[in-house]
């Protein structure tokens, strides 16, 4: 239990500090950065598989079209989520990105209703209503919905929905996803470089050093999360997931000095209240069941 708690918490801390990393690569466009992130992550995962001598599943997976379609879909959602997140961080939208991951648990509940035909409990309905009110409030005061937050929450929510029924474990599933993405990313990146669009032409070695970290920084938190999720109660995992957007929120306000108007703060407060209701009720039911 303690080992799983530490693993999951560490994964969320790393994800919460991601804006610091992507800020170091701000001179690289989000599209090019996601292409590199895919390839370096794949290289790291292949090294892990080689060290563990864990190759048997790969040929079996490629003989199952349904598995390939499932992971191609999850890989597409993951890459779109990465692209939006990197663009948001590099264009001073860290606060709105953090809002997306605050909303994400409530989007999961909504997807459960719409896709899995689940029946939310009354407190969950109240949390969803508050979250919808927060989005409407922000839309009314800013003149447009918080598209970045909604897109991040929806893509990651759909990604989690697919992974819920996916047949492979964390390491194998992530490897297959990045392998499928790499079949597109590699030729696109090559054409991007040959076309003279790369921001890395003549880049200093330090920038390449930061870029090489994309592999382990992408894979390790996901592997830690997979390790921890199997060892701690779902209610505890649900509470830990707020570590990441909380850290992003603090970085956006105090380090990147993004404006936090009072109207925007009201929207965040409504989301936090919704999460308090949702998490408190989940924790109460988990303890009662235990």
């Amino acid at each position: 239990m303690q080992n799983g708690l530490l693993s999951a918490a560490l994964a969320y801390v790393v994800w919460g500090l991601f804006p610091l990393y992507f800020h170091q690569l701000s001179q690289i466009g989000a599209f090019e950065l996601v292409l590199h992130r895919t390839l370096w992550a794949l290289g790291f995962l292949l090294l892990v598989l080689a060290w563990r001598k864990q190759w048997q599943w790969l040929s079996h997976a490629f003989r199952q079209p349904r598995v390939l379609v499932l992971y191609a879909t999850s890989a597409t959602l993951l890459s779109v989520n990465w692209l939006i997140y990197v663009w948001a961080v590099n264009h001073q939208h860290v606060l709105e990105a953090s809002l997306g991951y605050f909303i994400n648990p409530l989007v999961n509940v909504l997807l459960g209703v719409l896709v899995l035909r689940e029946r939310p409990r009354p407190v969950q309905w109240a949390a969803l209503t508050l979250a919808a009110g927060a989005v409407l409030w922000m839309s009314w005061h800013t003149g447009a919905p918080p598209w970045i937050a909604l897109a991040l929450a929806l893509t990651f929510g759909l990604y989690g929905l697919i992974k819920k029924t996916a047949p492979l474990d964390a390491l194998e599933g992530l490897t297959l996803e990045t392998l499928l993405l790499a079949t597109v990313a590699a030729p696109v990146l090559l054409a991007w470089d040959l076309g003279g669009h790369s921001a890395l032409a003549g880049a200093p070695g330090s920038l390449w050093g930061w870029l090489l970290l994309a592999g382990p920084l992408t894979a390790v938190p996901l592997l830690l999360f997979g390790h921890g999720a199997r060892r701690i109660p779902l209610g505890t995992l649900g509470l830990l997931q707020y570590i990441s957007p909380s850290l992003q929120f603090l970085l956006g306000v105090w380090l990147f000095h993004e404006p936090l108007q009072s109207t925007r703060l009201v929207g965040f407060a409504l989301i936090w209240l919704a999460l308090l209701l949702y998490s408190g009720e989940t924790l109460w039911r988990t303890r009662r069941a235990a």
Side-chain angles (χ1 to χ4, degrees):
M1 172 88 175
Q2 280 189 330
N3 185 273
L5 191 68
L6 181 62
S7 295
L10 187 56
Y12 282 119
V13 168
V14 174
W15 282 330
L17 297 177
F18 261 8
L20 296 175
Y21 171 70
F22 289 120
H23 188 67
Q24 299 295 326
L25 297 167
S26 58
Q27 70 185 76
I28 304 175
F31 180 69
E32 185 178 3
L33 189 51
V34 167
L35 294 176
H36 274 283
R37 186 181 184 186
T38 299
L39 297 178
W40 293 119
L42 178 61
F44 179 81
L45 290 167
L46 292 177
L47 287 175
V48 174
L49 287 174
W51 173 60
R52 298 181 62 173
K53 298 179 181 178
Q54 191 175 336
W55 300 107
Q56 299 85 351
W57 63 274
L58 196 55
S59 60
H60 183 64
F62 272 98
R63 288 197 298 268
Q64 299 182 76
R66 181 184 173 278
V67 172
L68 291 177
V69 170
L70 187 70
Y71 279 95
T73 305
S74 66
T76 302
L77 288 167
L78 186 62
S79 63
V80 171
N81 183 271
W82 284 355
L83 186 62
I84 296 169
Y85 181 79
V86 173
W87 184 91
V89 171
N90 289 346
H91 288 79
Q92 292 77 51
H93 293 291
V94 175
L95 284 180
E96 193 168 341
S98 74
L99 178 64
Y101 292 109
F102 276 125
I103 295 174
N104 181 244
L106 302 174
V107 168
N108 290 339
V109 175
L110 185 61
L111 288 173
V113 175
L114 298 176
V115 180
L116 303 178
R117 304 298 179 186
E118 295 176 352
R119 293 185 176 181
R121 298 181 291 272
V123 174
Q124 291 180 318
W125 275 121
L128 285 172
T129 303
L130 276 172
V135 172
L136 290 173
W137 169 268
M138 291 183 178
S139 302
W140 180 46
H141 280 277
T142 61
W147 292 118
I148 295 172
L150 292 174
L152 286 173
L154 185 60
T155 52
F156 201 72
L158 289 170
Y159 176 76
L161 184 66
I162 291 175
K163 298 289 279 188
K164 186 179 176 69
T165 57
L168 301 177
D169 69 13
L171 175 60
E172 295 169 352
L174 182 60
T175 302
L176 184 56
E177 285 169 352
T178 51
L179 187 60
L180 292 171
L181 283 176
T183 60
V184 177
V188 170
L189 186 60
L190 180 61
W192 188 264
D193 290 342
L194 292 176
H197 303 297
S198 177
L200 291 167
S206 59
L207 190 63
W208 279 99
W210 283 109
L211 198 58
L212 286 172
L213 284 175
L217 282 177
T218 297
V220 170
L222 287 167
L223 296 176
L224 284 171
F225 173 78
H227 176 79
R230 290 193 295 268
R231 288 166 175 79
I232 60 177
L234 187 60
T236 305
L237 188 66
L239 293 176
L240 288 175
Q241 69 183 321
Y242 303 131
I243 292 174
S244 176
S246 297
L247 288 172
Q248 292 174 28
F249 178 84
L250 294 174
L251 288 173
V253 172
W254 286 324
L255 185 63
F256 300 121
H257 306 294
E258 293 186 11
L260 183 63
Q261 303 92 342
S262 57
T263 53
R264 197 178 193 185
L265 188 56
V266 169
F268 269 97
L270 288 173
I271 292 293
W272 293 330
L273 180 57
L275 292 176
L276 183 63
L277 285 173
Y278 169 78
S279 302
E281 195 259 2
T282 301
L283 187 61
W284 176 76
R285 284 188 170 269
T286 301
R287 288 183 173 178
R288 187 181 179 186

